[in-house]
């Protein structure tokens, strides 16, 4: 979808996380409602913000990209999504079905724009910092991953391997285009498929649901950084 010459529309009326973000945020028009819950929560399952997620996070601005990419925090306020360009329009949930029906009748982008004008409601921009841990955000604005982990029990519960992968991925993404990010997505995904944390994270959160993953290693300082560094050599 990203870079397509066709007009694309995503309706994020509900949970939009992980792969859902990858599909929705690649679209030209991204519709949120009161039901939208947007997040990239992969560090909780031994993975990283993939499917272009790091690219979309980087558009939020330094500090916010790391905060939401590492913590997996959910953005549920439509005005926050609009402010950070994670959504382009807000359509009230009671108008969504009528909006969908009208959208099916559109024949070109001008028709889509007219449909959006008809059904969307303008929102005032709102500061997302009202709903997040400001102290952790301040540390991450200084690009201090270890300092943030020391201060945050939430980050301490995440896979250390995932945290360093997500951190490095997002940091590099700030200066890259979508193609470079998607190439590294594939490289990092292959690495995670050979690492035990992904399977352990899925087990703990989604299968056994004991929410007690045993990460290997369980501390960032015990990571083999030579292997991590090799993943971030530029190839394109």
């Amino acid at each position: 979808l990203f870079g397509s010459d066709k007009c694309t529309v995503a309706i994020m009326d509900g949970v939009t996380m992980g792969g859902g973000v990858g599909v929705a945020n690649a679209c030209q028009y991204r519709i949120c409602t009161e039901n939208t819950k947007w997040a990239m929560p992969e560090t909780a399952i031994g993975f990283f913000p993939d499917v272009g997620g790091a690219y979309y996070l980087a558009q939020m601005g330094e500090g916010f990209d790391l905060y939401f990419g590492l913590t997996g925090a959910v953005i549920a306020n439509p005005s926050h999504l609009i402010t950070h360009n994670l959504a382009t329009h807000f359509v009230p949930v009671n108008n969504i079905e009528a909006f969908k029906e009208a959208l099916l009748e559109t024949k070109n982008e001008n028709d889509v724009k007219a449909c959006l004008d008809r059904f969307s409601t303008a929102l005032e921009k709102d500061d997302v910092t009202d709903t997040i841990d400001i102290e952790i955000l301040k540390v991450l604005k200084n690009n201090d991953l270890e300092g943030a982990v020391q201060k945050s029990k939430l980050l301490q519960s995440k896979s250390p391997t995932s945290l360093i992968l997500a951190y490095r991925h997002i940091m590099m993404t700030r200066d890259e285009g979508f193609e470079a990010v998607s190439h590294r997505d594939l490289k990092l995904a292959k690495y995670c498929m050979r690492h035990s944390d992904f399977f352990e994270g899925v087990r703990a959160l989604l299968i056994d649901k004991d929410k007690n993953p045993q990460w290997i290693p369980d501390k960032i300082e015990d990571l083999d950084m030579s292997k991590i560094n090799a993943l971030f050599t530029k190839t394109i």
Side-chain angles (χ1 to χ4, degrees):
L1 293 175
F2 190 91
S4 171
D5 58 0
K6 296 184 180 297
C7 177
T8 52
V9 181
I11 300 175
M12 304 183 291
D13 183 32
V15 174
T16 306
M17 300 181 183
V21 169
V23 172
N25 277 75
C27 291
Q28 184 176 358
Y29 300 107
R30 303 173 296 281
I31 315 307
C32 63
T33 74
E34 301 94 323
N35 293 335
T36 307
K37 292 177 174 57
W38 190 105
M40 291 299 289
E42 288 81 2
T43 57
I45 59 167
F47 210 57
F48 67 97
D50 66 330
V51 292
Y55 181 84
Y56 307 124
L57 287 164
Q59 312 309 305
M60 298 183 71
E62 295 182 7
F64 292 111
D65 52 0
L66 290 174
Y67 184 92
F68 288 100
L70 299 179
T71 67
V74 176
I75 304 177
N77 185 326
S79 64
H80 295 165
L81 294 166
I82 297 289
T83 297
H84 290 282
N85 198 35
L86 301 172
T88 58
H89 296 79
F90 169 73
V91 175
V93 69
N94 58 356
N95 288 339
I96 278 293
E97 291 307 316
F99 171 68
K100 289 179 182 177
E101 292 179 8
L103 195 61
L104 289 174
E105 299 300 319
T106 61
K107 294 180 172 60
N108 52 51
E109 186 170 354
N110 286 334
D111 289 349
V112 171
K113 289 179 178 178
C115 189
L116 287 167
D117 289 342
R118 177 183 170 192
F119 288 97
S120 65
T121 299
L123 295 177
E124 291 187 8
K125 290 191 173 184
D126 196 7
D127 189 353
V128 71
T129 55
D130 292 340
T131 62
I132 65 178
D133 189 324
I134 300 299
E135 291 305 310
I136 301 306
L137 177 63
K138 288 179 180 178
V139 176
L140 289 173
K141 280 188 174 181
N142 291 324
N143 302 327
D144 183 0
L145 173 59
E146 292 189 9
V149 172
Q150 290 173 2
K151 287 178 173 288
S152 171
K153 289 185 178 180
L154 176 61
L155 289 178
Q156 290 164 16
S157 71
K158 310 298 185 183
S159 159
T161 298
S162 291
L163 289 176
I164 196 67
L165 292 179
Y167 173 81
R168 294 283 298 275
H169 193 30
I170 293 168
M171 290 286 288
M172 287 187 72
T173 297
R174 292 175 179 177
D175 300 315
E176 294 176 328
F178 186 82
E179 184 178 1
V181 176
S182 61
H183 274 60
R184 194 165 54 251
D185 274 345
L186 179 59
K187 184 188 291 188
L188 298 182
K190 288 180 177 179
Y191 179 80
C192 288
M193 290 300 98
R194 297 191 296 268
H195 196 286
S196 63
D197 275 10
F198 173 68
F199 301 96
E200 173 63 6
V202 170
R203 179 206 65 76
L205 187 66
L206 302 175
I207 299 176
D208 296 339
K209 299 182 180 179
D210 58 31
K211 298 182 180 180
N212 185 34
Q214 304 301 305
W215 307 124
I216 300 174
D218 60 359
K219 294 182 177 62
I220 287 181
E221 53 265 34
D222 293 334
L223 291 169
D224 184 345
M225 290 306 299
S226 63
K227 292 183 179 179
I228 301 296
N229 291 338
L231 295 169
F232 292 92
T233 56
K234 292 193 176 184
T235 57
I236 63 170

